[in-house]
Amino acid sequence: MSESKLAGQFFDAAIGLLHRVRDEEAGNIAAAGAAIADTVAAGGRLFAFGAGHSSLAAQDVVYRAGGLALMNLLAVPGTVGVDVTPATLGSALERVDGLAGAVLDSSPAEPGDVLAVVSLSGRNALPVEMAMNAQALGLKVIGVTSLTYARETKSRHVSGTYLKDHCDIVLDSKIAVGDAELTAEGIEAPFAPASTVVTSALMQAVLATAAGDLAERGIEPPLLRSGNVDGGHEWNGRVMTEYRDRIFFRR
């Protein structure tokens, strides 16, 4: 099988998944966007969390051109990326009970804020407890996960529950168990994961919806511009000064 054919198959698979989440999750995307707009309008703050490769979609909406300036990364040390050594430590920490509560207790999150929790499987202790504790603290929780995992795998949390069970709004990424879209003769393991493409698209779709919702209410969305366009730094400086009490990645 030629490399170009495999590339085309991956693009087709990813595009198919994007079509599915666009059409099947439209209502949940609208609800999540409205929840974020409500929080921005009410003076609240926005947070995103993810562990391992799920953290990529969370990081993608924090401090970036075209994004909402109020979105802050709720990071758990050792779980955000593969720069930690050994890289397997991040996977191990996802299964540690009590870690999420300690992180939330020391975070600036308050009742009425929004927390988006991204976890492909939604079965590990860390994302389950992050959502569970956030709801107990009075935050609104948006979960981005694959509901297929909840149907076809066993929860690793003592409660037997999944991320989806502790969210106000759930966005289903439709990713199959194993997160690999392709198989081919001569290649023993399935390959070509698409979860990052889909979950990042879901997050961006939610924030785009929130920006439009705010504009319809007559509220200027606190968006950041690219620092690589003329006037971008000045624009961003103004936005971050105006909303400095709700932005934590500068402190």
Side-chain angles (χ1 to χ4, degrees):
M1 181 175 292
S2 68
E3 292 85 350
S4 60
K5 186 174 182 180
L6 287 174
Q9 288 180 351
F10 174 74
F11 281 120
D12 288 343
I15 291 167
L17 285 163
L18 289 171
H19 281 162
R20 284 191 65 196
V21 296
R22 179 196 64 189
D23 298 339
E24 298 173 20
E25 296 301 305
N28 293 326
I29 290 169
I36 287 176
D38 288 343
T39 300
V40 173
R45 292 82 58 81
L46 310 174
F47 299 89
F49 164 79
H53 284 90
S54 291
S55 73
L56 296 175
Q59 293 179 63
D60 190 50
V61 295
V62 177
Y63 184 52
R64 66 158 303 140
L68 285 174
L70 306 187
M71 185 62 76
N72 302 277
L73 185 67
L74 186 61
V76 177
T79 70
V80 176
V82 294
D83 56 333
V84 63
T85 303
T88 51
L89 175 62
S91 297
L93 289 174
E94 286 189 66
R95 305 180 190 184
V96 174
D97 294 331
L99 184 56
V103 170
L104 274 170
D105 287 345
S106 61
S107 80
E110 296 180 353
D113 292 344
V114 166
L115 171 62
V117 179
V118 184
S119 174
L120 174 60
S121 73
R123 67 192 294 230
N124 289 312
L126 185 55
V128 170
E129 292 185 357
M130 190 66 74
M132 184 185 298
N133 287 315
Q135 283 193 322
L137 290 172
L139 278 71
K140 178 159 283 191
V141 179
I142 299 169
V144 184
T145 187
S146 170
L147 296 183
T148 302
Y149 275 83
R151 293 190 294 268
E152 299 182 10
T153 69
K154 183 179 179 180
S155 171
R156 289 177 174 149
H157 188 253
V158 64
S159 67
T161 62
Y162 298 79
L163 169 60
K164 71 176 182 65
D165 299 314
H166 306 284
C167 297
D168 298 280
I169 302 164
V170 176
L171 303 176
D172 182 7
S173 66
K174 320 293 181 182
I175 300 294
V177 173
D179 191 17
E181 295 301 317
L182 302 183
T183 58
E185 185 177 352
I187 302 176
E188 292 297 324
F191 57 102
S195 61
T196 302
V197 174
V198 178
T199 53
S200 292
L202 277 168
M203 291 290 285
Q204 294 295 349
V206 167
L207 294 189
T209 301
D213 197 323
L214 286 167
E216 289 179 359
R217 304 183 195 193
I219 300 172
E220 177 67 28
L223 297 169
L224 296 172
R225 292 180 181 264
S226 171
N228 295 313
V229 300
D230 292 342
H233 286 298
E234 292 77 13
W235 173 282
N236 292 342
R238 177 184 62 78
V239 171
M240 287 192 278
T241 296
E242 181 177 350
Y243 292 94
R244 60 184 176 274
D245 61 329
R246 299 154 75 181
I247 296 172
F248 304 102
F249 49 78
R250 295 190 72 191
R251 301 180 182 179

